[in-house]
Amino acid sequence: MKYIIMCGGHYKKWETPRQLIMVNGEHLVGRTIRLLRENGTKNIAISSDDPVFSRFGVPVLQHENDYYARQYNDMDGYWCNCFYPTDDPACYLMGDVLFSPEAIRTIIETQTDDIMLFGSKAPFAPEYPKEYREPFAFKVVDQYHLHKAVNRVKELDRMGAFQRKPIAWELWSVIRGTNPNRVNKHYVAINDYTCDIDNPEDIEKVRNAIDGSAD
């Protein structure tokens, strides 16, 4: 299985790609690569159309992603366009997530013959710096099922079926065949300090969480 770190999209509030944010002296994407390698994973790539990511010593899969976030959940393009198109099994990891070693280990060791989502789930761990759940990775063996679900999300969005612009949670509900406006909770919970960086102020929260752990 190839582990693809998604580093596309554009975010107005940041002067640099979010995946290049420094936390404890390490880029987010660099940390993810290191943790994958420390767990024996060698088949790693970055999905992006930005040549800046070539510095990390893994293949950069050229992938144009028209997702453009103007503010939270107010976007141009589709978040679900972030998946690098391939017919082969792949684990797509969010490039703007700060993963714990335990989270990466869980993602690698969890088996599926279809699609599995990994994310935080209440009750949250004390060191988790957010008040809401976050998605972290999709592990995909059945790429046909994923592509079909992505197309279905776009179709439903055109029909006005969503209460907001669809992102990971809506896609997961479509994959599971449940109400697209309710989070399907059948996914693998990662409940430690692992979380994505939405705002600049999140950096200090995450740093404090790491400092208070055994990482």
Side-chain angles (χ1 to χ4, degrees):
M1 174 168 287
K2 183 182 290 293
Y3 287 79
I4 300 175
I5 306 170
M6 299 184 291
C7 295
H10 306 276
Y11 306 86
K12 215 170 185 181
K13 67 183 71 172
W14 299 94
E15 295 180 359
T16 183
R18 287 201 294 179
Q19 302 85 2
L20 296 180
I21 294 167
M22 299 288 291
V23 177
N24 287 11
E26 196 172 23
H27 296 288
L28 286 182
V29 64
R31 175 188 174 88
T32 301
I33 292 169
R34 173 176 63 81
L35 292 176
L36 287 168
R37 285 174 169 165
E38 288 177 356
N39 281 276
T41 300
K42 297 180 180 179
N43 195 359
I44 306 168
I46 291 173
S47 173
S48 179
D49 61 355
D50 191 334
V52 70
F53 291 103
S54 61
R55 72 175 76 173
F56 292 100
V58 299
V60 178
L61 308 175
Q62 292 297 313
H63 181 211
E64 294 185 8
N65 178 5
D66 63 357
Y67 172 73
Y68 191 98
R70 290 171 286 169
Q71 59 187 26
Y72 179 71
N73 205 33
D74 182 11
M75 65 192 77
D76 298 314
Y78 285 100
W79 175 88
C80 53
N81 284 347
C82 64
F83 295 99
Y84 182 78
T86 177
D87 293 328
D88 299 322
C91 182
Y92 300 93
L93 300 104
M94 315 299 187
D96 56 359
V97 168
L98 185 137
F99 291 95
S100 71
E102 293 77 16
I104 291 294
R105 195 172 304 117
T106 295
I107 292 169
I108 291 173
E109 293 178 354
T110 299
Q111 302 297 313
T112 181
D113 58 4
D114 187 9
I115 303 173
M116 182 53 66
L117 172 67
F118 301 82
S120 55
K121 183 185 293 186
F124 302 122
E127 64 270 27
Y128 183 66
K130 301 288 185 73
E131 297 179 352
Y132 46 86
R133 65 178 75 87
E134 292 276 14
F136 303 140
F138 281 85
K139 200 167 194 177
V140 181
V141 172
D142 188 344
Q143 289 284 356
Y144 175 78
H145 188 180
L146 175 66
H147 301 326
K148 185 177 179 180
V150 167
N151 290 333
R152 180 58 177 163
V153 165
K154 294 179 180 181
E155 180 184 8
L156 288 170
D157 190 42
R158 288 191 296 268
M159 295 166 56
F162 293 110
Q163 295 172 356
R164 62 178 190 174
K165 292 295 288 185
I167 52 175
W169 299 117
E170 285 78 9
L171 174 59
W172 179 238
S173 293
V174 170
I175 288 170
R176 298 285 299 184
T178 57
N179 187 332
N181 288 303
R182 304 183 95 179
V183 174
N184 186 293
K185 298 180 180 179
H186 294 282
Y187 59 90
V188 176
I190 294 176
N191 279 341
D192 53 26
Y193 62 76
T194 300
C195 74
D196 97 332
I197 306 298
D198 289 315
N199 301 289
E201 52 267 28
D202 288 341
I203 298 174
E204 196 60 37
K205 296 178 184 177
V206 172
R207 185 179 291 115
N208 291 338
I210 296 173
D211 291 344
S213 75
D215 186 17

